[in-house]
Amino acid sequence: RRPAGEGPAAAHTRDGVLTLTLDARKSKVTIGGAATESDAYNGRYLGPTMVVKPGDALRINLVNGTNEDTNLHFHGAHVTPKGNSDNVFLRAEPGKSLQYEVKLPATHPAGLYWYHPHWHGHTEDQIGDGMAGAIVIRGALDELPGIKGLTERLLVLTTRNGADPNQPLRLVNGRRQPALDIRPGELQRWRVLNASADDFFNFA
């Protein structure tokens, strides 16, 4: 059995600000049980989960140690695309850094979002390498009866292409065919993120 675990490591907001460095570079990582080298954030396949609240600010230092241009996109977030916020026209060249400041509106819907590179021509490959992560925005939804207090699990679905393009490696939290334990009749809250570049999953 391969436990799915609780998802990638989490970075939490403090005093209304989430401060985080994403160091993108070639690293030795374990993907689907196999050791390999891949461009990754902070030396791990899949970036840390950002856990924030409406009204918070995300201060992200993106360090590009790869040999390609890269940047960040905050997928689904209701934020400005201007300046050094969710601006897909910003570019970190190899060896350079970008400082992002993304301000979430106080009225931002709670839910599951994600971040990933969005530099034209490199997006698919970089996401496929695991340069992506979840954003959990907590809010009123989390306080509803029947939801509050439930065991939560984050399942990040990704795809790795191998030698046979017709047999992609589909992963949950970087693991191949993992297992999750749940008691008979137990109710859990699962957050499911499709963080693949261009794949879909029959999820059951």
Side-chain angles (χ1 to χ4, degrees), residues 3-24:
E6 301 305 319
H12 293 264
T13 186
R14 179 176 297 179
D15 297 326
V17 178
L18 176 73
T19 302
L20 180 66
T21 294
L22 294 176
D23 186 0

Side-chain angles (χ1 to χ4, degrees), residues 49-53 111-113 134-138 154 191:
T49 299
M50 302 180 190
V51 183
V52 295
K53 301 185 297 295
L112 179 61
Y113 304 83
I135 303 172
V136 174
I137 301 181
R138 296 198 173 276
L154 173 63
R191 299 179 188 267

Side-chain angles (χ1 to χ4, degrees), residues 16-133:
V17 178
L18 176 73
T19 302
L20 180 66
T21 294
L22 294 176
D23 186 0
R25 65 184 63 248
K26 188 76 70 180
S27 303
K28 293 180 179 179
V29 296
T30 300
I31 305 175
T36 186
E37 284 198 345
S38 181
D39 285 337
Y41 293 134
N42 302 347
R44 301 188 67 176
Y45 179 75
L46 297 178
T49 299
M50 302 180 190
V51 183
V52 295
K53 301 185 297 295
D56 284 351
L58 286 65
R59 294 176 182 163
I60 312 299
N61 177 29
L62 175 64
V63 180
N64 186 8
T66 76
N67 60 6
E68 299 177 337
D69 294 340
T70 192
N71 62 7
L72 281 178
H73 170 49
F74 300 85
H75 195 116
H78 300 195
V79 295
T80 179
K82 298 178 181 178
N84 65 334
S85 183
D86 187 22
N87 185 344
V88 297
F89 296 106
L90 295 177
R91 174 177 59 170
E93 298 175 344
K96 302 293 185 181
S97 299
L98 277 177
Q99 307 292 325
Y100 286 87
E101 177 137 4
V102 179
K103 177 67 174 176
L104 298 175
T107 56
H108 199 292
L112 179 61
Y113 304 83
W114 66 303
Y115 63 92
H116 59 81
H118 206 301
W119 188 250
H120 184 68
H122 298 309
T123 302
E124 182 175 5
D125 290 342
Q126 291 177 2
I127 292 176
D129 280 344
M131 290 171 60

Side-chain angles (χ1 to χ4, degrees), residues 71 76 131 161 164 188:
N71 62 7
M131 290 171 60
N161 291 324
D164 183 355
Q188 295 186 357

